[in-house]
Tab-separated table of all heavy atoms in Angstrom:
chain	number	residue	atom	x	y	z
O	1	GLY	N	11.954	-0.936	-26.396
O	1	GLY	CA	11.058	-1.418	-27.426
O	1	GLY	C	9.596	-1.469	-27.055
O	1	GLY	O	8.808	-2.105	-27.767
O	2	PHE	N	9.201	-0.799	-25.987
O	2	PHE	CA	7.811	-0.807	-25.560
O	2	PHE	C	7.140	0.516	-25.931
O	2	PHE	O	7.817	1.488	-26.277
O	2	PHE	CB	7.723	-1.053	-24.050
O	2	PHE	CG	8.052	-2.464	-23.653
O	2	PHE	CD1	9.353	-2.831	-23.339
O	2	PHE	CD2	7.057	-3.430	-23.609
O	2	PHE	CE1	9.660	-4.137	-22.978
O	2	PHE	CE2	7.349	-4.741	-23.255
O	2	PHE	CZ	8.653	-5.094	-22.942
O	3	PRO	N	5.806	0.582	-25.862
O	3	PRO	CA	5.109	1.826	-26.218
O	3	PRO	C	5.561	3.011	-25.367
O	3	PRO	O	5.854	2.870	-24.173
O	3	PRO	CB	3.633	1.485	-25.984
O	3	PRO	CG	3.562	0.002	-26.133
O	3	PRO	CD	4.860	-0.511	-25.582
O	4	GLU	N	5.558	4.178	-25.982
O	4	GLU	CA	6.080	5.383	-25.339
O	4	GLU	C	5.399	5.725	-24.013
O	4	GLU	O	6.072	6.193	-23.082
O	4	GLU	CB	5.969	6.554	-26.319
O	4	GLU	CG	6.799	7.767	-25.938
O	4	GLU	CD	6.063	8.709	-25.005
O	4	GLU	OE1	4.811	8.677	-25.018
O	4	GLU	OE2	6.725	9.446	-24.253
O	5	PRO	N	4.072	5.520	-23.860
O	5	PRO	CA	3.451	5.858	-22.563
O	5	PRO	C	4.075	5.137	-21.374
O	5	PRO	O	4.044	5.654	-20.247
O	5	PRO	CB	1.984	5.462	-22.755
O	5	PRO	CG	1.760	5.573	-24.228
O	5	PRO	CD	3.053	5.121	-24.855
O	6	LEU	N	4.640	3.963	-21.599
O	6	LEU	CA	5.253	3.230	-20.501
O	6	LEU	C	6.447	3.991	-19.923
O	6	LEU	O	6.700	3.943	-18.716
O	6	LEU	CB	5.690	1.844	-21.000
O	6	LEU	CG	5.977	0.769	-19.957
O	6	LEU	CD1	4.752	0.507	-19.081
O	6	LEU	CD2	6.414	-0.519	-20.638
O	7	TYR	N	7.140	4.731	-20.775
O	7	TYR	CA	8.331	5.454	-20.337
O	7	TYR	C	7.986	6.757	-19.614
O	7	TYR	O	8.861	7.378	-19.013
O	7	TYR	CB	9.242	5.734	-21.535
O	7	TYR	CG	9.718	4.465	-22.209
O	7	TYR	CD1	8.987	3.894	-23.246
O	7	TYR	CD2	10.876	3.830	-21.790
O	7	TYR	CE1	9.414	2.723	-23.854
O	7	TYR	CE2	11.302	2.659	-22.391
O	7	TYR	CZ	10.568	2.101	-23.424
O	7	TYR	OH	10.995	0.944	-24.014
O	8	ARG	N	6.746	7.158	-19.683
O	8	ARG	CA	6.328	8.364	-18.973
O	8	ARG	C	5.896	8.076	-17.540
O	8	ARG	O	5.691	8.999	-16.752
O	8	ARG	CB	5.175	9.044	-19.724
O	8	ARG	CG	5.557	9.570	-21.092
O	8	ARG	CD	4.584	10.633	-21.569
O	8	ARG	NE	3.213	10.134	-21.664
O	8	ARG	CZ	2.645	9.697	-22.783
O	8	ARG	NH1	3.341	9.674	-23.906
O	8	ARG	NH2	1.398	9.276	-22.782
O	9	ILE	N	5.741	6.804	-17.207
O	9	ILE	CA	5.274	6.452	-15.862
O	9	ILE	C	6.364	6.767	-14.839
O	9	ILE	O	7.532	6.424	-15.019
O	9	ILE	CB	4.891	4.965	-15.798
O	9	ILE	CG1	3.652	4.688	-16.654
O	9	ILE	CG2	4.644	4.539	-14.348
O	9	ILE	CD1	3.275	3.231	-16.718
O	10	GLN	N	5.947	7.406	-13.787
O	10	GLN	CA	6.807	7.639	-12.632
O	10	GLN	C	6.142	7.011	-11.398
O	10	GLN	O	4.923	7.023	-11.268
O	10	GLN	CB	7.016	9.139	-12.395
O	10	GLN	CG	7.741	9.854	-13.523
O	10	GLN	CD	9.175	9.406	-13.658
O	10	GLN	OE1	9.918	9.331	-12.667
O	10	GLN	NE2	9.586	9.086	-14.879
O	11	TYR	N	6.964	6.459	-10.525
O	11	TYR	CA	6.455	5.927	-9.258
O	11	TYR	C	7.262	6.580	-8.135
O	11	TYR	O	8.324	6.084	-7.729
O	11	TYR	CB	6.570	4.404	-9.210
O	11	TYR	CG	5.816	3.806	-8.037
O	11	TYR	CD1	4.422	3.749	-8.045
O	11	TYR	CD2	6.485	3.338	-6.911
O	11	TYR	CE1	3.721	3.228	-6.967
O	11	TYR	CE2	5.791	2.817	-5.832
O	11	TYR	CZ	4.405	2.766	-5.870
O	11	TYR	OH	3.706	2.251	-4.795
O	12	PRO	N	6.787	7.721	-7.644
O	12	PRO	CA	7.591	8.555	-6.744
O	12	PRO	C	7.513	8.165	-5.269
O	12	PRO	O	7.425	9.033	-4.384
O	12	PRO	CB	7.008	9.944	-6.983
O	12	PRO	CG	5.553	9.691	-7.260
O	12	PRO	CD	5.524	8.388	-8.038
O	13	ALA	N	7.529	6.876	-4.987
O	13	ALA	CA	7.506	6.453	-3.590
O	13	ALA	C	8.779	6.901	-2.887
O	13	ALA	O	9.865	6.877	-3.475
O	13	ALA	CB	7.375	4.928	-3.508
O	14	PRO	N	8.680	7.288	-1.638
O	14	PRO	CA	9.896	7.651	-0.885
O	14	PRO	C	10.701	6.408	-0.531
O	14	PRO	O	10.177	5.280	-0.511
O	14	PRO	CB	9.336	8.306	0.376
O	14	PRO	CG	7.999	7.666	0.570
O	14	PRO	CD	7.461	7.426	-0.820
O	15	GLY	N	11.977	6.617	-0.290
O	15	GLY	CA	12.789	5.568	0.307
O	15	GLY	C	12.762	5.680	1.823
O	15	GLY	O	12.068	6.522	2.392
O	16	LEU	N	13.528	4.819	2.479
O	16	LEU	CA	13.618	4.861	3.941
O	16	LEU	C	15.040	4.447	4.331
O	16	LEU	O	15.306	3.276	4.629
O	16	LEU	CB	12.578	3.934	4.564
O	16	LEU	CG	12.331	4.088	6.071
O	16	LEU	CD1	11.935	5.518	6.426
O	16	LEU	CD2	11.262	3.118	6.548
O	17	PRO	N	15.978	5.390	4.286
O	17	PRO	CA	17.383	5.041	4.543
O	17	PRO	C	17.618	4.327	5.869
O	17	PRO	O	18.464	3.425	5.942
O	17	PRO	CB	18.090	6.398	4.501
O	17	PRO	CG	17.242	7.227	3.581
O	17	PRO	CD	15.828	6.801	3.873
O	18	ARG	N	16.872	4.693	6.909
O	18	ARG	CA	17.073	4.021	8.200
O	18	ARG	C	16.745	2.537	8.100
O	18	ARG	O	17.440	1.702	8.669
O	18	ARG	CB	16.204	4.679	9.282
O	18	ARG	CG	16.612	6.091	9.645
O	18	ARG	CD	15.903	6.545	10.922
O	18	ARG	NE	14.456	6.325	10.867
O	18	ARG	CZ	13.599	7.161	10.282
O	18	ARG	NH1	14.039	8.259	9.681
O	18	ARG	NH2	12.311	6.915	10.292
O	19	LEU	N	15.673	2.211	7.399
O	19	LEU	CA	15.320	0.809	7.224
O	19	LEU	C	16.332	0.107	6.333
O	19	LEU	O	16.685	-1.055	6.580
O	19	LEU	CB	13.909	0.687	6.636
O	19	LEU	CG	13.430	-0.735	6.343
O	19	LEU	CD1	13.422	-1.593	7.609
O	19	LEU	CD2	12.026	-0.709	5.709
O	20	ALA	N	16.810	0.776	5.305
O	20	ALA	CA	17.823	0.180	4.436
O	20	ALA	C	19.073	-0.184	5.238
O	20	ALA	O	19.657	-1.264	5.054
O	20	ALA	CB	18.169	1.140	3.304
O	21	GLU	N	19.475	0.701	6.139
O	21	GLU	CA	20.636	0.419	6.979
O	21	GLU	C	20.364	-0.752	7.919
O	21	GLU	O	21.244	-1.595	8.163
O	21	GLU	CB	21.007	1.665	7.769
O	21	GLU	CG	21.546	2.796	6.898
O	21	GLU	CD	21.640	4.113	7.640
O	21	GLU	OE1	21.276	4.134	8.849
O	21	GLU	OE2	22.060	5.108	7.023
O	22	GLU	N	19.143	-0.826	8.422
O	22	GLU	CA	18.773	-1.942	9.297
O	22	GLU	C	18.789	-3.265	8.533
O	22	GLU	O	19.278	-4.281	9.040
O	22	GLU	CB	17.383	-1.687	9.886
O	22	GLU	CG	16.922	-2.746	10.852
O	22	GLU	CD	15.538	-2.458	11.406
O	22	GLU	OE1	15.108	-1.291	11.375
O	22	GLU	OE2	14.893	-3.420	11.868
O	23	VAL	N	18.278	-3.259	7.301
O	23	VAL	CA	18.311	-4.464	6.473
O	23	VAL	C	19.758	-4.881	6.220
O	23	VAL	O	20.120	-6.059	6.353
O	23	VAL	CB	17.565	-4.215	5.143
O	23	VAL	CG1	17.839	-5.339	4.146
O	23	VAL	CG2	16.071	-4.086	5.397
O	24	ARG	N	20.584	-3.910	5.862
O	24	ARG	CA	22.006	-4.226	5.657
O	24	ARG	C	22.619	-4.840	6.909
O	24	ARG	O	23.356	-5.843	6.836
O	24	ARG	CB	22.755	-2.955	5.284
O	24	ARG	CG	24.260	-3.169	5.103
O	24	ARG	CD	25.031	-1.876	5.261
O	24	ARG	NE	24.772	-1.241	6.565
O	24	ARG	CZ	25.095	0.016	6.837
O	24	ARG	NH1	25.657	0.771	5.905
O	24	ARG	NH2	24.836	0.521	8.036
O	25	ASP	N	22.332	-4.272	8.063
O	25	ASP	CA	22.932	-4.768	9.300
O	25	ASP	C	22.460	-6.181	9.609
O	25	ASP	O	23.251	-7.021	10.073
O	25	ASP	CB	22.592	-3.832	10.457
O	25	ASP	CG	23.272	-2.463	10.326
O	25	ASP	OD1	24.188	-2.331	9.495
O	25	ASP	OD2	22.850	-1.532	11.048
O	26	ARG	N	21.200	-6.471	9.369
O	26	ARG	CA	20.698	-7.828	9.632
O	26	ARG	C	21.353	-8.830	8.688
O	26	ARG	O	21.680	-9.961	9.091
O	26	ARG	CB	19.177	-7.864	9.489
O	26	ARG	CG	18.459	-7.045	10.541
O	26	ARG	CD	16.964	-7.221	10.459
O	26	ARG	NE	16.274	-6.265	11.317
O	26	ARG	CZ	15.056	-6.431	11.804
O	26	ARG	NH1	14.373	-7.525	11.496
O	26	ARG	NH2	14.491	-5.519	12.581
O	27	LEU	N	21.525	-8.450	7.443
O	27	LEU	CA	22.190	-9.338	6.492
O	27	LEU	C	23.654	-9.532	6.873
O	27	LEU	O	24.204	-10.637	6.738
O	27	LEU	CB	22.065	-8.780	5.081
O	27	LEU	CG	20.642	-8.702	4.517
O	27	LEU	CD1	20.644	-7.996	3.160
O	27	LEU	CD2	20.018	-10.087	4.384
O	28	ALA	N	24.292	-8.468	7.346
O	28	ALA	CA	25.683	-8.582	7.781
O	28	ALA	C	25.796	-9.511	8.988
O	28	ALA	O	26.716	-10.341	9.066
O	28	ALA	CB	26.246	-7.202	8.116
């Protein structure tokens, strides 16, 4: 229900799988 330009926005930041795994391990 928001204006159409909002749906055209992309934020193409990279992920970091190694850090994601480290975060998971610390939480575990």
Side-chain angles (χ1 to χ4, degrees):
F2 288 91
E4 196 273 336
L6 197 59
Y7 299 90
R8 295 200 300 263
I9 293 176
Q10 297 293 312
Y11 191 73
L16 193 56
R18 292 192 309 277
L19 177 59
E21 292 168 0
E22 182 180 339
V23 168
R24 178 202 57 195
D25 292 347
R26 294 186 190 204
L27 295 174

